[in-house]
Amino acid sequence: MKSTICVALFALLPLSIFNCNNNKLYVPAQHEALSNQNYEIFKTNLVKAYESRDHFEISFQLANLKAPKEIIYDHLRQYISEDIKRCENIYEISYLAEQGFIRHLYAMDTIAYQEIFALCELKDSTSSYAIYKAREEERTRKFLANRPVLDSLKFDLALIEKLKALDENDQKYRRQIGRSYYMPQATKDSLWKLQEELDAINLLAMDSIFTAVGYPVPSKVGYEYSSTFVYILHHQTDGAIREKFTNKFRSHLSLEEMELLEERTASLKATPQ
């Protein structure tokens, strides 16, 4: 299978970057967990990454394709070895994981990812994760400070309690996985299964709330819980479900929220987030 794919790629890519022996152009066979459509999307993105010699994107798409771990992280190591200043991308994925938004590149082998993270911390004397995190937190603080003040006396407290429970379910195992660097794979797989069950429960609860009282706008529930539906929908991997609810919520979503949902729906990522 590998040799067949390599031969096919030979006709598409420049000879200067063609090398099947060292896996530079390795394209994995379709994994059973991926739909035909997802596989073709990820494979196309991978070929484009090979053409541009972008080792970060190569590793990212190989992770989406559920390739062998050693190949994925070899490309990621090469990415930072070419220019240590590229560690910003490594820091971003770690930062997102701390917030409960776990990319497949991080989840495939958290220990391997953290080893690469440690290389960044060791080699880049002009930056660090602490600097990156402080910058992101300051940007968030300024954004929050500039929002209009809401009248909390008008909040629907019963609705807030329901949304709070959904938030807790949404992050119950995601944050645990994201912050446990040396968790055994079997434990991680078990937690993902539990999280997927909660995601399904959350989807039903979200639909019920929307049918009963409509969208939880900031004036009713405050800023903290007005994005609860967005996070629940963001973690759904069924494209049809995502599109259905995005259309339902469209008039209530900010431009940034729409972009977040539509980008992921378009790419149809089948990996846990």
Side-chain angles (χ1 to χ4, degrees):
M1 174 64 72
K2 177 181 172 183
S3 61
T4 301
I5 294 174
C6 283
V7 169
L9 285 171
F10 182 83
L12 298 174
L13 302 174
L15 181 60
S16 60
I17 63 171
F18 180 81
N19 190 333
C20 288
N21 291 330
N22 63 11
N23 291 323
K24 283 187 178 179
L25 298 187
Y26 169 69
V27 178
Q30 184 172 347
H31 191 280
E32 61 182 8
L34 291 173
S35 68
N36 292 338
Q37 185 177 22
N38 287 348
Y39 178 71
E40 291 302 322
I41 290 171
F42 297 146
K43 185 171 70 172
T44 298
N45 290 341
L46 178 60
V47 171
K48 290 179 180 178
Y50 280 134
E51 289 177 325
S52 61
R53 306 185 191 186
D54 184 341
H55 288 281
F56 181 83
E57 186 65 19
I58 291 170
S59 64
F60 193 91
Q61 296 304 330
L62 284 172
N64 284 339
L65 287 162
K66 303 182 185 296
K69 297 176 184 178
E70 62 273 13
I71 299 176
I72 294 170
Y73 295 103
D74 279 349
H75 280 288
L76 200 56
R77 291 185 189 93
Q78 185 166 347
Y79 174 75
I80 64 168
S81 70
E82 292 173 350
D83 185 354
I84 197 63
K85 302 301 181 184
R86 292 173 171 174
C87 285
E88 288 270 312
N89 285 337
I90 306 299
Y91 294 154
E92 179 183 10
I93 288 182
S94 294
Y95 183 73
L96 289 173
E98 287 188 5
Q99 314 310 310
F101 292 91
I102 301 174
R103 309 314 297 266
H104 204 191
L105 184 57
Y106 182 95
M108 283 287 289
D109 190 334
T110 307
I111 294 176
Y113 194 90
Q114 287 302 319
E115 289 173 350
I116 294 170
F117 176 95
L119 285 176
C120 285
E121 291 284 85
L122 180 65
K123 293 184 177 181
D124 190 356
S125 59
T126 62
S127 184
S128 68
Y129 181 65
I131 294 173
Y132 174 89
K133 185 175 181 178
R135 185 173 69 242
E136 290 301 307
E137 289 177 342
E138 176 62 14
R139 186 171 67 173
T140 300
R141 186 195 66 77
K142 288 181 178 179
F143 170 77
L144 297 179
N146 289 330
R147 294 185 300 186
V149 177
L150 300 173
D151 185 355
S152 61
L153 295 177
K154 296 181 179 179
F155 288 174
D156 184 335
L157 300 183
L159 178 55
I160 287 175
E161 285 302 310
K162 292 179 181 179
L163 296 173
K164 183 178 180 181
L166 295 185
D167 271 354
E168 290 173 352
N169 280 348
D170 184 67
Q171 293 298 318
K172 185 168 185 178
Y173 300 110
R174 283 189 172 87
R175 285 209 173 108
Q176 186 176 343
I177 295 169
R179 293 172 177 173
S180 300
Y181 300 152
Y182 302 106
M183 180 182 293
Q185 188 61 45
T187 303
K188 187 184 299 184
D189 291 343
S190 177
L191 291 178
W192 272 126
K193 185 175 181 180
L194 292 172
Q195 184 61 63
E196 288 167 0
E197 292 173 356
L198 288 179
D199 289 346
I201 293 171
N202 268 2
L203 179 65
L204 294 175
M206 178 184 74
D207 192 22
S208 176
I209 291 172
F210 182 74
T211 300
V213 299
Y215 196 86
V217 294
S219 60
K220 291 172 62 175
V221 299
Y223 291 118
E224 182 177 0
Y225 297 108
S226 64
S227 295
T228 297
F229 281 13
V230 174
Y231 295 136
I232 292 173
L233 191 52
H234 179 69
H235 291 138
Q236 301 299 318
T237 57
D238 186 310
I241 288 176
R242 293 173 61 83
E243 186 172 4
K244 170 187 173 182
F245 283 98
T246 298
N247 289 333
K248 275 189 176 184
F249 302 158
R250 187 175 297 274
S251 63
H252 301 289
L253 300 175
S254 68
L255 178 61
E256 292 78 10
E257 289 171 336
M258 281 298 303
E259 289 177 347
L260 173 70
L261 293 174
E262 289 183 339
E263 179 182 1
R264 187 164 183 249
T265 300
S267 64
L268 295 174
K269 295 190 184 299
T271 57
Q273 294 290 317

